[in-house]
């Protein structure tokens, strides 16, 4: 099935979301394919390999209803990444980067209901909290900017720009849905509004913004 989107699975920074990821069968194969490309392109330079292996991990997302499956998925993806990282970087592999990888998976592989787009409790029942994913973007050398978004907003159909602008000018944020959208100043079109933004930080230290 992944061969149907082979080019995307082999693009390091392409984003994948598996809405019922189980223990990670699809995500594990996607990660292996991405890491194979990282090794082929950056395997001769430890610093580049480390950074791009983290980028590969940052762009894999999953939602799973059962907590034990979500934990198993995180551990499975981490083990795949860590084995490749240790083999490529050898003595220069470090625990700071490993801690960052663990943190990324905690934010990217979540326990929730992909139908209701809500987080679930330990019994698998919906809570009132929406599923929230982190977006990771390299902005300055090794620095990463994290922005958190609600999944239900990301999956909404983009509002019409002109209609959105009229609604905002007439009614402000009280109009249903508009509080979750803003006009992108560069593209001049509606885009989801992050619920949180963090200052750029070295990718090995992103776990400090827990």
């Amino acid at each position: 099935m992944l061969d149907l989107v082979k080019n995307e699975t082999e693009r390091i920074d392409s984003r994948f979301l598996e809405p019922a990821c189980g223990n990670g069968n699809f995500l594990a194969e996607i990660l292996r394919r991405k890491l194979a490309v990282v090794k082929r392109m950056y395997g001769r330079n430890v610093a580049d390999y480390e950074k791009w292996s983290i980028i590969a991990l940052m762009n894999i997302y999953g939602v799973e209803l059962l907590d034990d499956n979500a934990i198993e998925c995180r551990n499975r993806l981490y083990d795949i990444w860590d084995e490749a990282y240790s083999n490529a970087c050898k003595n220069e592999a470090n625990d700071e980067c490993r801690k960052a990888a663990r943190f990324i998976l905690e934010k990217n592989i979540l326990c929730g209901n992909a139908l209701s787009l809500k987080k679930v409790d330990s019994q698998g029942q919906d809570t009132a909290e929406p599923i929230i994913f982190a977006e990771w973007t390299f902005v300055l050398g090794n620095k990463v900017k994290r922005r958190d978004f609600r999944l239900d907003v990301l999956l909404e159909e983009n509002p019409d720009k002109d209609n959105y602008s009229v609604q905002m000018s007439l009614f402000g944020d009280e109009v249903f849905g508009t509080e979750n959208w803003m006009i992108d100043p560069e593209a001049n079109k509606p885009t989801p509004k992050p619920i949180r933004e963090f200052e750029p930080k070295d990718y090995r230290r992103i776990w400090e913004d827990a």
Side-chain angles (χ1 to χ4, degrees), residues 65-77:
L65 188 65
L66 302 178
D67 188 53
D68 55 347
N69 279 348
I71 293 171
E72 185 179 347
C73 181
R74 289 187 207 110
N75 290 336
R76 184 177 183 181
L77 295 177

Side-chain angles (χ1 to χ4, degrees), residues 23-198:
N23 66 359
N25 285 337
F26 278 100
L27 298 183
E29 179 60 23
I30 291 168
L31 181 57
R32 289 191 186 97
R33 294 184 183 204
K34 287 176 176 287
L35 291 175
V37 176
V38 175
K39 183 178 181 180
R40 186 171 71 248
M41 296 180 65
Y42 303 105
R44 295 184 180 182
N45 184 294
V46 169
D48 286 345
Y49 180 91
E50 181 180 281
K51 176 179 176 179
W52 282 95
S53 73
I54 286 290
I55 291 173
L57 205 59
M58 284 176 167
N59 286 287
I60 290 178
Y61 296 86
V63 178
E64 170 53 35
L65 188 65
L66 302 178
D67 188 53
D68 55 347
N69 279 348
I71 293 171
E72 185 179 347
C73 181
R74 289 187 207 110
N75 290 336
R76 184 177 183 181
L77 295 177
Y78 176 81
D79 289 343
I80 291 169
W81 174 86
D82 188 49
E83 181 179 5
Y85 173 58
S86 300
N87 288 339
C89 298
K90 298 181 171 59
N91 293 337
E92 295 185 57
N94 63 86
D95 288 340
E96 268 200 342
C97 188
R98 291 187 174 102
K99 190 170 183 177
R102 285 280 193 193
F103 181 72
I104 291 163
L105 289 169
E106 287 175 8
K107 298 299 180 183
N108 283 21
I109 308 299
L110 302 181
C111 194
N113 185 335
L115 295 178
S116 67
L117 304 177
K118 301 288 187 181
K119 294 180 181 177
V120 296
D121 60 23
S122 57
Q123 282 74 48
Q125 300 299 311
D126 284 7
T127 69
E129 295 182 62
I131 295 171
I132 296 171
F133 278 126
E135 175 200 61
W136 318 90
T137 307
F138 274 82
V139 291
L140 297 167
N142 286 336
K143 289 191 175 182
V144 169
K145 184 174 180 61
R146 171 185 159 195
R147 301 193 300 167
D148 290 352
F149 291 90
R150 288 176 49 161
L151 180 59
D152 55 351
V153 176
L154 292 175
L155 295 179
E156 282 180 5
E157 183 178 355
N158 280 15
D160 174 76
K161 181 172 76 70
D162 294 332
N163 185 52
Y164 175 92
S165 300
V166 169
Q167 288 180 329
M168 287 294 290
S169 63
L170 290 176
F171 306 109
D173 284 346
E174 294 181 2
V175 177
F176 176 76
T178 58
E179 71 273 12
N180 298 318
W181 292 80
M182 63 183 187
I183 298 293
D184 185 317
E186 294 184 6
N188 193 33
K189 64 180 181 180
T191 188
K193 184 188 298 182
I195 63 168
R196 284 187 296 269
E197 295 191 57
F198 299 84

